[in-house]
């Protein structure tokens, strides 16, 4: 078995010839992040398969785990898919699902799905090589796209519902992170929960940095990182913070 991770396959004659000369039965692609050019797809006897971090056809694209958490999905998973020219649109032979538990973040889900994929891939390889795998076309009309995360998406809008804000905090952990601005500085929220605090959207409700949202809910912050500083538990952070109870944090 050979492991390769070239920066690009496009116009890469050396890599093309290497794979061609291997005369391999099967190529497996995991978290590569590059398009496989169509001229490569017939270089192995059984083609190329991909282990994609979503329940296809939902969340094709670069950031399926983050988008799933931010969308407040109830479950996540991995799909074993044959690679075709179109992005993440090939037929699947197996899809494995797990429940998305309350307040799980993208790092935790990535680790869970990595372990799940590692456990299941060997069985899939055996099925494919033995011609027992059944690939089923995706329902393309149900496809959704998990576009690459932009750093600006991390900005919190306190006029959103608490569940939406918490989904953003968890979905963008650890990077690029969900944040708010105060006095010209950025504050990244690393861990938080939902509470029942009542106040104006963006109002600090307690000395432990509980911030009001809409619909009589609030975000209770447990870990935070001030711009250029280390991560702190909220009790430590509040000792020297200028963000006091009664402060109104804007969405700008």
């Amino acid at each position: 078995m050979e492991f390769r991770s070239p920066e690009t396959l496009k116009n890469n004659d050396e890599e093309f010839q290497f794979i061609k000369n291997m005369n391999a039965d099967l190529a497996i692609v995991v978290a590569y992040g590059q398009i496989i050019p169509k001229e490569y797809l017939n270089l192995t006897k059984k083609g190329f398969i991909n282990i994609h971090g979503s329940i296809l056809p939902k969340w094709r694209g670069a950031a399926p785990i983050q988008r799933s958490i931010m969308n407040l999905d109830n479950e996540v998973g991995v799909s074993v898919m044959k690679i075709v020219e179109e992005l993440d649109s090939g037929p699947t032979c197996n899809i494995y699902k797990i429940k998305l538990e309350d307040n799980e973040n993208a790092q935790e889900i990535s680790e869970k799905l990595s372990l799940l994929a590692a456990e299941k891939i060997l069985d899939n390889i055996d099925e494919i090589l033995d011609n027992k795998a059944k690939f089923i076309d995706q329902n393309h009309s149900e496809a959704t796209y998990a576009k690459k995360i932009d750093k600006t998406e991390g900005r919190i809008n306190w006029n959103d519902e608490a569940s939406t804000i918490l989904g953003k905090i968890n979905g963008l952990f650890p990077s690029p992170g969900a944040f708010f601005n105060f006095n010209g500085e950025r504050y990244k929220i690393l861990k938080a929960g939902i509470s029942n605090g009542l106040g104006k959207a963006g109002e600090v409700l307690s000395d432990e940095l509980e911030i009001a949202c809409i619909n009589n809910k609030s975000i209770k912050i447990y870990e935070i990182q001030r711009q250029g500083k280390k991560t702190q538990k909220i009790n430590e952070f509040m000792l020297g913070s200028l963000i006091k109870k009664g402060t109104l944090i804007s969405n700008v």
Side-chain angles (χ1 to χ4, degrees), residues 20-233:
K20 181 178 181 181
N21 293 338
M22 283 188 69
N23 195 30
D25 292 310
L26 181 67
I28 304 163
V29 180
V30 182
Y32 181 44
Q34 303 285 337
I35 296 294
I36 309 296
K38 62 180 180 180
E39 60 266 25
Y40 282 78
L41 299 181
N42 294 320
L43 291 181
T44 67
K45 298 180 183 69
K46 303 290 186 180
F48 281 62
I49 63 169
N50 175 232
I51 309 168
H52 183 72
S54 83
I55 302 169
L56 289 171
K58 194 169 187 179
W59 302 127
R60 298 174 180 176
I65 295 172
Q66 294 94 325
R67 296 294 175 194
S68 186
I69 295 172
M70 293 168 70
N71 193 58
L72 309 180
D73 291 350
N74 294 319
E75 57 185 6
V76 292
V78 291
S79 301
V80 181
M81 171 197 70
K82 184 173 289 186
I83 295 179
V84 297
E85 290 183 49
E86 293 79 16
L87 179 67
D88 297 334
S89 61
T92 61
C93 63
N94 280 302
I95 297 176
Y96 306 97
K97 304 175 184 180
I98 60 173
K99 183 180 178 182
L100 183 57
E101 303 290 347
D102 289 344
N103 223 2
E104 285 188 301
N105 61 46
Q107 184 177 70
E108 292 166 337
I109 292 299
S110 294
E111 291 171 358
K112 279 189 176 183
L113 294 184
S114 293
L115 292 173
L116 178 62
E119 174 190 346
K120 299 296 186 182
I121 187 57
L122 294 178
D123 291 338
N124 281 269
I125 290 173
D126 289 341
E127 289 180 0
I128 293 168
L129 294 181
D130 292 341
N131 294 319
K132 295 179 180 178
K134 295 181 180 180
F135 285 91
I136 300 173
D137 288 339
Q138 297 182 41
N139 184 343
H140 302 298
S141 67
E142 296 180 355
T144 57
Y145 179 54
K147 69 177 181 178
K148 184 178 179 180
I149 299 292
D150 188 285
K151 290 182 180 180
T152 60
E153 292 184 70
R155 185 187 298 275
I156 293 171
N157 184 342
W158 298 107
N159 290 306
D160 285 336
E161 293 190 3
S163 57
T164 299
I165 294 173
L166 187 62
K168 178 173 288 191
I169 292 167
N170 288 328
L172 299 182
F173 179 90
S175 179
F179 66 90
F180 64 87
N181 291 329
F182 178 75
N183 281 356
E185 288 190 298
R186 178 172 294 193
Y187 293 80
K188 184 191 291 189
I189 302 176
L190 305 176
K191 189 174 291 186
I194 295 176
S195 190
N196 295 314
L198 177 62
K200 296 179 181 178
E203 181 183 354
V204 179
L205 302 177
S206 75
D207 292 328
E208 294 185 340
L209 202 51
E210 181 179 346
I211 304 177
C213 313
I214 62 171
N215 293 345
N216 299 336
K217 295 289 184 180
S218 56
I219 292 292
K220 203 166 187 177
I221 300 173
Y222 304 137
E223 291 184 15
I224 194 168
Q225 184 178 21
R226 183 179 175 184
Q227 186 174 343
K229 304 294 183 180
K230 67 177 183 178
T231 299
Q232 293 179 297
K233 300 289 186 182

